[in-house]
Amino acid sequence: MDFLLLWLLGLLSIFSAFGPAEYEESSSSEPSVSAEPSPAASPVIDPIAEQFFQRAPLPSCGEYQVEHGYYEQSAQPGWQCLQDSAQAQGAEATFIAQLTGQAPTYSYVRVADGVMEIYVNDPSKGDMGLWTYDTCSVADSSFRQGCP
């Protein structure tokens, strides 16, 4: 076994003498290829969407279908849950507004550490949707209508 290991190490040392330097040309007419992708080849990511997808997970207060926005009466159980969680571990609720003839708009309302965050994605506004972000202190917010 030791003999085989020594033989393999010797073989590796022989081949290491023929490294890349032996085969490099002093000048090349071919252009070099960069490992970095060009900005034109990279998809543009909305910074608000990126922030949303990298947010810390919070307990869910549920998902609510609303007709126009997250301030409606049908959404009040979600707001009550958010209000109850604001001083505890925090929470997040999702409100989906489906307007006639349009893609639904998603509002994600989060409360944690005395801060309310509202992310809204309107997919009818382009390929990846239009993302907006609003934040305010829980003390300044209305748990029935979001940030002022």
Side-chain angles (χ1 to χ4, degrees):
M1 184 71 154
D2 291 334
F3 174 74
L4 183 59
L5 185 60
L6 288 172
W7 180 77
L8 284 173
L9 287 173
L11 203 65
L12 284 173
S13 67
I14 292 171
F15 285 114
S16 68
F18 300 105
E22 292 282 324
Y23 297 96
E24 271 185 33
E25 295 180 19
S26 59
S27 67
S28 175
S29 61
E30 293 182 31
S32 65
V33 177
S34 172
E36 264 185 63
S38 73
S42 300
V44 176
I45 297 176
D46 184 325
I48 297 172
E50 185 174 7
Q51 177 183 331
F52 172 77
F53 289 113
Q54 293 179 356
R55 73 196 188 285
L58 290 173
S60 176
C61 281
E63 188 174 282
Y64 301 88
Q65 296 286 331
V66 294
E67 289 185 36
H68 300 288
Y70 49 75
Y71 48 83
E72 295 173 11
Q73 185 63 33
S74 61
Q76 295 314 310
W79 285 105
Q80 186 62 49
C81 174
L82 289 169
Q83 185 172 2
D84 294 345
S85 301
Q87 301 306 320
Q89 75 274 14
E92 179 174 312
T94 303
F95 303 98
I96 304 168
Q98 178 70 56
L99 300 175
T100 307
Q102 293 183 359
T105 298
Y106 298 86
S107 299
Y108 306 91
V109 181
R110 299 166 47 88
V111 293
D113 301 323
V115 175
M116 178 182 290
E117 297 178 297
I118 302 173
Y119 292 91
V120 178
N121 182 17
D122 185 352
S124 68
K125 308 280 194 231
D127 292 340
M128 296 181 66
L130 173 68
W131 283 88
T132 59
Y133 175 76
D134 198 8
T135 186
C136 59
S137 75
V138 170
D140 293 340
S141 68
S142 163
F143 271 100
R144 300 293 181 253
Q145 296 185 7
C147 293

